[in-house]
Amino acid sequence: MSKIKDRYLKVIVKADEEFRLIIDQSLGEEALIELLDGSAEVFGVEMIHKRLYTFSTSLTVFTRNGCTLRLGGNPSDTYSVKRSKSSIDNIHAQLEDQRTKAQQNNTRGPITLITGPKDVGKSTLTRTLLNYAAQSGRKPLYFDLDVGQSSISIPSTMGVLPIDGPEDLEKGFDDNDLSVYFFGYTSPGLNIGLYYLLIQKLGQSLHRRMGHSKSIKHSGAIIDTCGWVEGQGYQSILAAARSFDISLAIVLSDNKLYSRLRHDLSPRIKIKFCPSLEGIVERSQVVRRHRRENLIHEYFYGTPQRRFGPHTIQLMFSDVEIVQVVTPKLRISIDLLDEIYDAISVVSVPISPSLCNQVLAISHTKDHRSAMIESVLGFICILQVDMERKLLTVLSPQPDLMKKRILVMGDLQFDVNRYR
């Protein structure tokens, strides 16, 4: 530890200042931060004194009363700015007021949809509001609809996570009760019909969970969306608003989107406009792709702070059935979800060497139709296909895989050899 400290810079951050760090993960950059004195928070979570944190994505350290940090690593840039009047604090206060009233009247707490284009701070706002809620003793549901840059599982997934406490800044939220649904693609437009159906399924999950727990009912939910806000992307926002029966939509940065939602959403839904969060860095396609690859790598191998030991196992072709969800070309509308469900087909995928590097979802059901919209058990990656011996060699977090499983395929791939 003493050798590491020798390479550190001491940074003094004044009261009500933000210390911003720009980190490009695709270049192998990271930042090592230790809180020496005072108090500070990251994503709404209080930093622990004398604990060394490692971050591989851009972040902001905020202090209300001033602090001293020790900084190491190789971030692209760092700078301090005076924090403007925090819209996040105001939003949290409004949500807390609604939760208190919901608790008093035994009614539903706020159902908040966060939307806006790419790189305006949607995930940062979501994460911070969830942490503030948890620190206030609330237990909101967190829904992630961003299949491109998932915050709770691997890319191409959607999911729901009950929040039972603030996150660990390096490990994330406790995900023991996480439910993940496999969409299979990193853009909703590649199978928009299935995307609509999964939004509807997650909306049903919200209403069911609220009926089973008063603490969840009173705490409400926060829904993070993807950055696609035009065409079918806009329609998916409307579909989410309807399926989750939201009470508040927060629009970041996009005045046109704000105006359209004011016109198209029910008058009972409050719509709040916020400028993009300060300090958010626009990510290139290279950075986004690298982030997706890194999320898959972390699923199988863990992080430097929490390493996993994945298993290489062999499966007979006869032990599994690989399927894929196919949506025919038809008019897609949120008013035609029943027709979309009937039109979508689940087809068997022939096993061949072309499946190498495919990431597949493990279904817990043996019914094809259910497999496309039910939560999944986990994921494997195909390493080798032996056509002569009819054997699949796969990478798996678990040492064995129950036989006769349905494996669902999209277009998600992971090349293990790139990380060796």
Side-chain angles (χ1 to χ4, degrees):
M1 184 66 179
S2 60
K3 292 182 179 179
I4 295 176
K5 283 185 176 180
D6 290 342
R7 300 200 303 271
Y8 279 17
L9 298 175
K10 185 178 288 188
V11 179
I12 297 175
V13 188
K14 297 178 182 179
D16 292 322
E17 277 192 349
E18 294 181 346
F19 179 62
R20 298 175 182 170
L21 299 96
I22 311 303
I23 301 169
D24 189 340
Q25 191 179 41
S26 67
L27 300 178
E29 295 178 353
E30 65 176 15
L32 309 176
I33 307 176
E34 182 182 1
L35 177 62
L36 297 181
D37 60 48
S39 61
E41 64 181 55
V42 177
F43 301 119
V45 178
E46 291 289 333
M47 297 181 69
I48 300 172
H49 282 87
K50 306 300 182 182
R51 173 176 169 179
L52 184 65
Y53 294 91
T54 302
F55 297 99
S56 56
T57 56
S58 298
L59 70 143
T60 294
V61 180
F62 171 61
T63 177
R64 299 180 189 276
N65 301 305
C67 70
T68 302
L69 305 173
R70 197 185 297 274
L71 172 67
N74 58 340
S76 294
D77 193 15
T78 62
Y79 60 97
S80 296
V81 295
K82 190 74 174 178
R83 190 177 202 181
S84 57
K85 188 175 180 180
S86 175
S87 59
I88 298 180
D89 287 343
N90 293 336
I91 294 170
H92 170 63
Q94 293 172 14
L95 295 179
E96 267 304 291
D97 181 60
Q98 294 175 42
R99 292 175 184 128
T100 299
K101 292 178 180 177
Q103 191 170 11
Q104 293 170 346
N105 301 320
N106 193 26
T107 55
R108 195 183 69 164
I111 311 300
T112 306
L113 181 80
I114 298 177
T115 186
K118 296 177 181 178
D119 298 325
V120 294
K122 296 186 299 297
S123 296
T124 297
L125 177 59
T126 299
R127 193 171 170 183
T128 304
L129 290 174
L130 288 169
N131 281 315
Y132 281 167
Q135 289 172 0
S136 299
R138 306 299 185 180
K139 297 185 178 181
L141 293 173
Y142 171 24
F143 289 88
D144 188 354
L145 309 185
D146 188 355
V147 295
Q149 300 285 317
S150 175
S151 296
I152 58 178
S153 186
I154 67 172
S156 79
T157 63
M158 305 158 71
V160 52
L161 178 63
I163 302 299
D164 199 26
E167 68 175 302
D168 181 289
L169 286 175
E170 292 179 311
K171 298 177 182 178
F173 290 107
D174 183 346
D175 61 0
N176 287 333
D177 294 323
L178 172 65
S179 295
V180 174
Y181 297 77
F182 188 59
F183 174 64
Y185 306 88
T186 57
S187 171
L190 294 175
N191 197 333
I192 192 66
L194 177 59
Y195 189 66
Y196 282 173
L197 290 178
L198 288 175
I199 287 176
Q200 181 185 56
K201 182 72 176 182
L202 286 166
Q204 294 167 352
S205 172
L206 177 143
H207 303 307
R208 183 180 66 254
R209 289 168 184 261
M210 284 194 161
H212 293 163
S213 169
K214 284 190 175 182
S215 61
I216 291 177
K217 176 182 176 181
H218 301 154
S219 299
I222 299 179
I223 305 146
D224 190 15
T225 61
C226 67
W228 187 24
V229 298
E230 298 290 344
Q232 290 289 355
Y234 178 72
Q235 293 300 316
S236 72
I237 297 171
L238 298 181
R242 175 188 295 185
S243 297
F244 290 98
D245 193 16
I246 67 171
S247 57
L248 171 66
I250 299 175
V251 181
L252 289 174
S253 178
D254 193 327
N255 283 291
K256 178 183 175 183
L257 176 61
Y258 171 71
S259 178
R260 293 182 70 187
L261 290 177
R262 288 191 64 186
H263 179 270
D264 293 337
L265 292 182
S266 167
R268 68 168 184 78
I269 299 174
K270 295 181 180 180
I271 305 175
K272 182 179 178 63
F273 177 84
C274 292
S276 59
L277 298 190
E278 297 178 351
I280 298 299
V281 178
E282 184 175 351
R283 295 169 293 179
S284 66
Q285 289 299 321
V286 173
V287 171
R288 288 176 174 274
R289 183 173 62 251
H290 187 274
R291 174 61 178 158
R292 287 194 288 266
E293 292 173 351
N294 198 63
L295 286 171
I296 302 173
H297 183 270
E298 288 179 0
Y299 175 80
F300 289 109
Y301 293 96
T303 65
Q305 295 77 37
R306 187 173 59 162
R307 297 186 184 278
F308 301 152
H311 304 269
T312 301
I313 60 178
Q314 290 188 322
L315 302 170
M316 297 292 296
F317 286 7
S318 58
D319 289 339
V320 299
E321 181 179 7
I322 301 176
V323 301
Q324 189 168 25
V325 180
V326 178
T327 303
K329 292 183 178 180
L330 68 147
R331 187 170 70 89
I332 301 295
S333 167
I334 58 178
D335 297 316
L336 300 173
L337 291 182
D338 289 339
E339 289 86 344
I340 293 172
Y341 180 83
D342 292 336
I344 285 179
S345 59
V346 181
V347 300
S348 294
V349 177
I351 296 178
S352 71
S354 66
L355 296 181
C356 285
N357 299 331
Q358 283 285 345
V359 177
L360 309 177
I362 308 168
S363 175
H364 67 76
T365 178
K366 295 184 179 180
D367 176 69
H368 284 190
R369 300 292 294 177
S370 298
M372 71 178 181
I373 57 170
E374 295 294 338
S375 59
V376 299
L377 294 173
F379 306 93
I380 60 171
C381 179
I382 297 180
L383 302 179
Q384 293 180 349
V385 179
D386 188 331
M387 298 300 294
E388 184 175 338
R389 299 167 60 199
K390 297 190 181 303
L391 279 177
L392 290 174
T393 302
V394 303
L395 187 68
S396 169
Q398 302 298 326
D400 53 52
L401 183 68
M402 294 179 65
K403 297 181 179 181
K404 303 301 179 184
R405 282 291 181 190
I406 292 178
L407 303 177
V408 186
M409 185 179 86
D411 70 354
L412 190 66
Q413 295 193 350
F414 176 64
D415 187 355
V416 175
N417 294 321
R418 290 187 58 181
Y419 287 86
R420 287 177 176 170

